[in-house]
Each structure stands twice: as structure tokens, then as C-alpha cells.
Amino acid sequence: MMMSESVLACSCLADTHGLLQVAMQTSGNLKTSLLEQISSGVIGIPAMVWQEFKDLYPNEASELEPYVSATATIGMRKRAYTAKAGSIAEKLNSGFAVGPYDSGIEIQVAAIASVEKCPVLTSATELFQYKRMACGAVDLENWLKK
């Protein structure tokens, strides 16, 4: 069975930490640009990340919500995503609880990013987590330089 080509139009996937970095931007012009990139799908948001973000940061989520459409969120629908998540968890010997909130979302984000061959937009403190999962990741500052 051949792997399908990527159908995601985004240039990166944000995790919860990446979304928080966007929400906390103090530069009006930069924040506007980032929100437009979320709205247009340049920055993809996995559905489980959006749910976790809303649960953890309700005030920030209400600010971002107009830019995050239900169709822009990415689910774990592809079998390849689920299979890759299982493979990552097995290699880490950790099950699905490696994230700071013990929900395993980082593994699921890494799986989608690995299958789709796009980096994860995260915070500088989380880069090592994705490196351990053999997944490309970049913090907001470095992503903006590209």
C-alpha cells in the first residue's frame, strides 16, 4: 500500500506551546500577521491541540478563536497518523503520556508533522521533546526568520 501525498496546505503545525507563543505576542503587526497565517491555514492546528489550548488557556483561546475555523483544524483521521503516533510512543517507551499535561498530544502532533513532513511550531523549551521523537520542530522566533 503506497503512502498518499500530503494533503495539508500548512507550512507548519502549531502545538499548544506554539499557539500560546502566538497569543502572547505583543507586537501588533507581528500578531496580526500570525493570526492571518492561522486563518489562511499556513499555520495548521491539530484539533486536539485546539481543544487542549481552549481548556488550558480560555482567555487566550477566545482571542484566537475567530481565526481558527473548524475546517482548519486537523484531526487524527489518517491511519498513517495513528500508526506513526504508536511507533513514536513505542520508541519512547512511554505510552501516550509524555507531554507537560500528560495527554500525549505532543506525540500525536509529532505523528502528523512526521507523516506530512512539516515542522512543529512550538516554544523553545519544547524543542527537545520533538527532537526525542525524531520530528522537526521550530520555535516562533526561528520560524519567523525563515
Side-chain angles (χ1 to χ4, degrees):
M1 184 172 175
M2 291 181 53
M3 296 291 283
S4 63
E5 289 294 312
S6 173
V7 294
L8 298 182
C10 57
S11 63
C12 70
L13 293 176
D15 70 358
T16 306
H17 301 279
L19 281 179
L20 186 59
Q21 297 293 310
V22 170
M24 294 177 66
Q25 281 304 308
T26 56
S27 165
N29 291 337
L30 179 57
K31 189 168 193 170
T32 299
S33 173
L34 291 166
L35 293 173
E36 287 173 0
Q37 291 178 60
I38 288 172
S39 181
S40 69
V42 172
I43 298 174
I45 303 171
M48 76 290 287
V49 167
W50 181 239
Q51 186 58 55
E52 179 178 71
F53 188 77
K54 289 191 309 185
D55 292 345
L56 294 172
Y57 307 105
N59 295 334
E60 292 83 354
S62 65
E63 181 185 347
L64 297 184
E65 195 153 23
Y67 303 93
V68 180
S69 70
T71 56
T73 58
I74 302 155
M76 289 288 286
R77 289 181 218 113
K78 278 188 171 181
R79 284 187 207 166
Y81 297 162
T82 305
K84 184 66 177 178
S87 172
I88 291 169
E90 186 174 312
K91 286 178 184 168
L92 293 174
N93 196 26
S94 66
F96 280 87
V98 298
Y101 311 112
D102 291 334
S103 59
I105 286 179
E106 288 84 358
I107 289 175
Q108 296 174 56
V109 173
I112 296 170
S114 295
V115 169
E116 300 297 342
K117 298 183 182 4
C118 64
V120 175
L121 178 62
T122 190
S123 66
T125 59
E126 292 301 303
L127 292 173
F128 180 72
Q129 287 286 357
Y130 290 102
K131 184 176 181 177
R132 286 182 56 225
M133 294 184 266
C135 176
V138 63
D139 62 8
L140 186 60
E141 182 180 342
N142 287 306
W143 187 73
L144 291 170
K145 291 178 184 176
K146 292 183 179 187

